[in-house]
């Protein structure tokens, strides 16, 4: 689980590969390039709601920034699960 904040809210989010069970939200959001607040143990972003939408649409196969692969039955391959909580600052 990785934390983000935008001066209004704090987001705790995990993205888990359905095949391997490995969390990959750090890589997905490229957190190494974001400012980090030690006190909050969270990375600074402009809008946590945008991150939620981006992750959820990626997981359900509707994010237009990505190309998806489907099996012969139309099921999304390489799916993932997203779970998150948001709290006000």
């Amino acid at each position: 689980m990785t934390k983000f904040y935008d001066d209004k809210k704090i987001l705790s989010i995990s993205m888990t590969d359905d095949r391997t069970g490995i969390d990959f939200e750090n890589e997905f959001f490229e957190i190494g390039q974001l400012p980090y607040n030690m006190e909050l143990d969270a990375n600074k972003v402009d809008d946590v709601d945008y991150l939620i939408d981006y992750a959820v649409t990626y997981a359900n196969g509707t994010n237009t920034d990505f190309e998806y692969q489907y099996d012969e039955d139309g099921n999304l391959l390489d799916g993932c699960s997203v779970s998150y909580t948001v709290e006000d600052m």
Side-chain angles (χ1 to χ4, degrees):
M1 183 141 312
T2 302
K3 291 172 67 176
F4 299 93
Y5 73 102
D6 65 6
D7 292 329
K8 295 177 186 172
K9 301 175 187 174
I10 298 175
L11 165 67
S12 298
I13 189 167
S14 66
M15 298 178 71
T16 307
D17 184 298
D18 290 342
R19 288 181 302 121
T20 65
I22 295 173
D23 289 342
F24 65 96
E25 66 277 356
N26 288 347
E27 295 83 9
F28 186 78
F29 292 115
E30 299 176 353
I31 65 162
Q33 300 176 18
L34 298 172
Y36 178 75
N37 182 311
M38 238 187 210
E39 189 174 309
L40 295 175
D41 186 29
N43 299 282
K44 175 78 166 114
V45 295
D46 292 333
D47 184 355
V48 297
D49 292 323
Y50 175 81
L51 291 187
I52 294 166
D53 182 61
Y54 202 73
V56 169
T57 58
Y58 174 79
N60 67 25
T62 61
N63 189 313
T64 58
D65 288 343
F66 299 92
E67 291 185 24
Y68 297 95
Q69 295 181 1
Y70 298 89
D71 66 14
E72 61 276 353
D73 296 323
N75 298 312
L76 180 64
L77 297 174
D78 298 328
C80 73
S81 302
V82 175
S83 63
Y84 63 90
T85 59
V86 178
E87 56 186 278
D88 292 328
M89 291 185 77

